[in-house]
Amino acid sequence: MTFYDFNFNEQLMEGIQSMGYRTPTPIQQQTIPVILNHKDLIACAQTGTGKTASYLLPILQHIATSDRKHVSALILAPTRELALQIDQLAEGIAYFTGLSSIAVYGGGDGMVFEQQRKAMIDGVDIIIATPGRLLAHLSSDSVQLNHLEYLVLDEADRMLDMGFYDDIMKVISMLPARRQTLLFSATMPPKIRTLANRILHQPEEINIAISQPASGIDQQAYLTFDEQKIPLIEHLLKGASYASILIFASRKDKVKELEKTLRKLHIKAKAFHSDLDQQERQEILLEFKNRSLPVIIGTDVLSRGIDIEGIDLVVNFDVPPDPEDYIHRIGRTARAETTGTAITFINERDQRRFAAIEALIGREITKIALPEELGTGPEYNPVRKRGGDNRKKKKNWHKKKPAHRKQDKPK
Ligand code: AMP
């Protein structure tokens, strides 16, 4: 299958070529005909599969060939990073079509709000927005969506996790009932099904390898004690020729601490977290994109919606609490059919979490022996509870003398 099979107009084809896309990805092959056929859609697809272009292309084709005087499409996204990324992709693909888009997201001062307002009053074809900020604009009457034809919810599961359900429903209540609605989600928990039932009309359903990491990712893991993690990261970063590296840690304070530690080791790294303002975040991403910064350390804020090509290593400094976050984190590498490596450090406490990830992806991940100079790490025994085999202790509980009880009490 090629992009010519979709009968896109010339300007859109030019855009596709200028983006360097040669063949449609699997999700694009399935999704584009459904959307061109005016059907509602629920699609389960992770980032890195080409899902954004899978809805942007047919929407742009429709808008380019119709009479357009109003905002035609609204894309709701959970974070400003994702909104910006979708907008950049839309600008790239639509470059030769003359269609316009704008990203509308929270944060910034009153001036930013005013700029967004003015741009929408001047007229755009596509708005890509985070739900809260869009509502603020809708209630200030800067934008009218009563002629909207397409609504896309991107990373719908994430939006619900972030508590956007009410905002989404409020936005939808201001849209025409006759519209085409497309829902994209990396996972399909029951709450997504409920949302889909409420807002989609006889949708087609497309499932791209549910919650599976892209096949180009070489997934590895090291069993480490906490004190071995820094020497190990130094070994990995200094010993191999990775050019662009993302390091994930679950907590913001850990991310900040790691930045300091790596800098002391003369590793050029910057922390990316929610305490930074929008400008600071953009600057870090820009430095990383233009390869002047080799390492970013981030929390899961970074695991969604960061679209940077050519990340060759993702390191999970700890195991993410939610197995699906693992898939998002490692999905930052091996984007769109390239390859990459994802390495996870597993300490004794994180073993059961890691086993949950292995269960989710349906296979065991190779555990690599630590470099000799770091000594040996813990054994992998994820079923064992913290503090040893509790079941045995419980069974013999009554036999212990009171003095021993306290000492043996399971933690
Ligand atoms: P997404 O899953 O939408 O986040 O897309 C991941 C990356 O794949 C983005 O950088 C897209 O520009 C890129 N991409 C999308 N479609 C294609 C394609 N057909 N061929 C090559 N790259 C693509």
Side-chain angles (χ1 to χ4, degrees), residues 19 30 42 89 91 256 270 278 304 307 318 373:
M19 295 296 290
Q30 292 191 47
I42 175 166
L89 195 65
E91 272 180 21
K256 292 180 183 173
K270 284 194 179 168
Q278 176 66 5
R304 307 255 184 164
D307 181 26
D318 51 32
E373 65 270 22

Side-chain angles (χ1 to χ4, degrees), residues 226-235 237-238 247 249 252-271 295 297 317 345:
D226 282 341
E227 56 278 17
Q228 292 169 314
K229 287 186 176 182
I230 293 293
L232 178 57
I233 213 152
E234 190 181 8
H235 169 88
L237 267 47
K238 290 190 172 167
I247 301 175
K252 197 162 50 186
D253 52 347
K254 190 77 213 170
V255 165
K256 292 180 183 173
E257 183 193 317
L258 265 173
E259 179 187 37
K260 285 191 195 134
T261 312
L262 293 186
R263 286 180 163 218
K264 275 189 202 141
L265 294 170
H266 306 291
I267 294 169
K268 207 172 160 198
K270 284 194 179 168
V295 183
I297 313 146
F317 196 78
F345 295 177

Side-chain angles (χ1 to χ4, degrees), residues 223 346-359 364 367 378-386 388:
L223 294 154
I346 316 166
N347 66 13
E348 321 86 281
R349 295 179 307 282
D350 281 349
Q351 292 195 1
R352 275 196 291 165
R353 279 185 186 173
F354 197 71
I357 290 168
E358 291 182 317
E364 262 188 46
K367 318 287 178 311
E379 268 180 42
Y380 191 49
N381 191 358
V383 285
R384 192 179 59 199
K385 295 201 169 97
R386 272 186 243 172

Side-chain angles (χ1 to χ4, degrees), residues 1-2 6 23-34 54 206:
M1 188 177 245
T2 74
F6 302 126
T23 47
T25 63
I27 181 133
Q28 290 163 0
Q29 294 184 19
Q30 292 191 47
T31 306
I32 292 171
V34 173
S54 84
I206 289 174

Side-chain angles (χ1 to χ4, degrees), residues 177-191:
R178 264 178 73 91
R179 53 162 203 270
Q180 192 176 355
T181 307
L182 315 169
L183 185 152
F184 287 77
S185 188
T187 58
M188 282 295 151
K191 58 187 178 186

Side-chain angles (χ1 to χ4, degrees), residues 36-65:
L36 286 176
N37 208 11
H38 302 283
K39 298 278 294 179
D40 277 8
L41 173 75
I42 175 166
C44 186
Q46 56 194 114
T47 55
T49 52
K51 68 169 170 63
T52 317
S54 84
Y55 62 77
L56 281 178
L57 284 167
I59 289 178
L60 287 166
Q61 164 74 15
H62 275 309
I63 304 177
T65 51

